[in-house]
């Protein structure tokens, strides 16, 4: 199957500047390919009776629960939380006080449908990887790829963040099987820090040896959301690439589904971690002293 037209789309699409530099393509796959993708048994699951049935179906189709920000791999923990959706101790999670929910992320590790097998090979091909790195002046040879078809269950949440510095490229493609997907609350927010919090970016700009961190939702404003099905967004993480997700929906009827990919820099140095609490007061984070 020929997917070269996708490389041409990415190569020719303009880079948008708001809320940060990124490429967005609506109707990424042609209609024939998109219909075939969303008709695959691994994408369009039958309605599940309950959470246990859904997780069983995902396992039977070749999905595995993976470690992912905003989620747990502990099925018992998730089922317990999801049955009541009450607050619980998140002491084992990054910045636990910033998130209200708890999700699970499943990646398809053994696709059986032919088109999904071919797309796995395509997203790992030199033609595609060279194209996406060229658009943001990244050296492909200095990176390695991590990508797959993923489903995210209800409760998945990552508060606003710009991605860690080791990430070179991030892309997301919506392939949601449910007809009402654009109105469901599970889409990625693309954001900016509010004016009174811009000093955080200035600090990250001036301190490249300090890792970027998650921040509270109220410190940012949403400028756009990736609601369109069959839409593609690509960006190179930087100090301003703030994005977030909060999924609150009925996953038994159909799940948030994406082709998700990252390129990571090889041999990246270990950086000092930061925490959003360090930025509550801007007194110590006003940027470098003026000359």
């Amino acid at each position: 199957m020929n997917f070269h037209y996708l490389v041409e789309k990415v190569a020719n699409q303009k880079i948008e500047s708001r809320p940060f530099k990124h490429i967005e393509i609506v109707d990424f796959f042609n209609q024939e390919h998109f219909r075939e993708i969303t008709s695959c048994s691994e994408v369009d699951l039958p309605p599940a009776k309950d959470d246990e049935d859904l997780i069983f179906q995902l396992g039977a189709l070749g999905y595995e629960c993976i470690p992912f920000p905003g989620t747990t791999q502990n099925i018992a923990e998730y089922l317990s939380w999801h049955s009541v959706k009450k607050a619980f101790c998140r002491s084992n999670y990054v910045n636990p006080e910033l998130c209200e929910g708890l999700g699970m992320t499943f990646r398809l590790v053994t696709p059986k449908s032919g088109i999904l097998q071919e797309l796995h090979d395509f997203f790992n091909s030199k033609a595609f990887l060279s194209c996406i790195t060229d658009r943001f002046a990244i050296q492909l040879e200095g990176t390695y790829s991590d990508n797959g078809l993923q489903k995210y269950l209800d409760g998945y949440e990552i508060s606003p963040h710009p991605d860690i510095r080791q990430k070179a490229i991030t892309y997301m493609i919506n392939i949601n099987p449910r007809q009402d997907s654009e109105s469901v609350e599970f889409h990625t927010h693309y954001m900016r820090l509010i004016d009174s919090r811009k000093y955080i970016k200035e600090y990250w700009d001036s301190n490249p040896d300090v890792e970027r961190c998650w921040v509270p939702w109220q410190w940012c404003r949403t400028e756009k959301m990736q609601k369109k099905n069959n839409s593609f967004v690509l960006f190179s993480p930087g100090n301003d690439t703030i994005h977030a997700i909060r999924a609150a929906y009925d996953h038994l009827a159909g799940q948030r589904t994406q082709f998700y990919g990252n390129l990571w820099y090889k041999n990246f140095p270990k950086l000092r971690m930061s925490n959003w609490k360090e930025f509550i007061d801007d007194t110590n984070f006003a940027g470098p002293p003026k000359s």
Side-chain angles (χ1 to χ4, degrees):
M1 198 169 291
N2 188 354
F3 297 112
H4 186 71
Y5 71 94
L6 300 176
V7 172
E8 294 179 350
K9 282 189 174 185
V10 175
N12 295 324
Q13 185 70 19
K14 70 175 183 178
I15 295 179
E16 300 182 34
S17 60
R18 294 184 65 90
F20 51 79
K21 289 184 178 180
H22 68 285
I23 289 173
E24 181 174 20
I25 303 174
V26 178
D27 296 327
F28 186 57
F29 294 105
N30 65 36
Q31 288 304 302
E32 179 183 356
H33 286 164
F34 188 66
R35 281 194 298 269
E36 186 172 352
I37 292 166
T38 52
S39 297
C40 290
S41 60
E42 299 98 320
V43 175
D44 188 14
L45 279 64
K49 295 181 297 183
D50 51 31
D51 292 346
E52 291 92 335
D53 182 42
L54 174 58
I55 292 171
F56 174 82
Q57 287 190 46
L58 290 169
L61 287 166
Y63 283 89
E64 292 183 5
C65 182
I66 63 170
F68 205 77
T71 66
T72 178
Q73 288 183 275
N74 188 320
I75 294 175
E77 179 182 43
Y78 177 75
L79 293 175
S80 176
W81 171 79
H82 199 242
S83 65
V84 291
K85 290 192 177 181
K86 291 183 179 179
F88 66 103
C89 178
R90 296 176 59 95
S91 59
N92 295 325
Y93 296 88
V94 176
N95 299 329
E97 42 302 290
L98 297 184
C99 296
E100 299 173 359
L102 177 70
M104 296 189 77
T105 300
F106 288 84
R107 176 174 288 186
L108 183 64
V109 295
T110 53
K112 298 178 177 63
S113 298
I115 192 170
L116 298 183
Q117 294 172 354
E118 293 183 53
L119 280 169
H120 176 270
D121 294 340
F122 169 76
F123 288 130
N124 287 288
S125 69
K126 187 172 182 179
F128 177 74
L129 296 177
S130 295
C131 177
I132 63 176
T133 50
D134 286 350
R135 292 308 314 270
F136 289 94
I138 303 293
Q139 295 296 317
L140 175 60
E141 292 74 17
T143 68
Y144 64 93
S145 179
D146 171 35
N147 61 80
L149 175 62
Q150 298 186 174
K151 285 183 176 284
Y152 310 79
L153 302 193
D154 177 47
Y156 165 52
E157 180 179 357
I158 305 180
S159 66
H161 65 291
D163 279 335
I164 62 175
R165 295 183 186 271
Q166 190 179 0
K167 279 191 184 182
I169 291 286
T170 293
Y171 66 87
M172 291 173 273
I173 311 168
N174 288 346
I175 54 161
N176 297 305
R178 49 193 296 170
Q179 295 299 312
D180 64 345
S181 68
E182 293 183 16
S183 63
V184 177
E185 188 180 347
F186 59 24
H187 297 291
T188 304
H189 296 242
Y190 297 102
M191 316 174 83
R192 283 191 175 190
L193 290 164
I194 59 177
D195 289 347
S196 62
R197 297 292 177 178
K198 286 184 176 179
Y199 62 85
I200 300 173
K201 178 187 177 299
E202 294 171 2
Y203 178 79
W204 287 332
D205 287 343
S206 303
N207 295 272
D209 59 331
V210 176
E211 188 56 270
R212 301 182 287 244
C213 63
W214 299 9
V215 299
W217 283 83
Q218 62 268 28
W219 290 7
C220 306
R221 68 173 181 271
T222 298
E223 299 243 336
K224 66 189 293 184
M225 294 177 69
Q226 189 181 349
K227 291 185 176 183
K228 288 287 186 183
N229 216 5
N230 194 20
S231 64
F232 167 93
V233 169
L234 168 75
F235 60 92
S236 178
N239 295 326
D240 63 341
T241 57
I242 308 291
H243 55 291
I245 171 67
R246 180 186 284 140
Y249 75 107
D250 177 14
H251 58 210
L252 302 181
Q255 304 76 43
R256 181 184 195 259
T257 310
Q258 287 186 332
F259 286 113
Y260 174 84
N262 292 129
L263 289 181
W264 298 84
Y265 291 114
K266 299 175 182 176
N267 305 315
F268 200 79
K270 186 174 182 179
L271 305 178
R272 182 181 79 78
M273 298 302 297
S274 62
N275 184 281
W276 69 276
K277 291 181 179 179
E278 300 175 34
F279 298 101
I280 291 176
D281 183 352
D282 69 351
T283 302
N284 298 319
F285 299 99
K290 298 183 184 303
S291 57

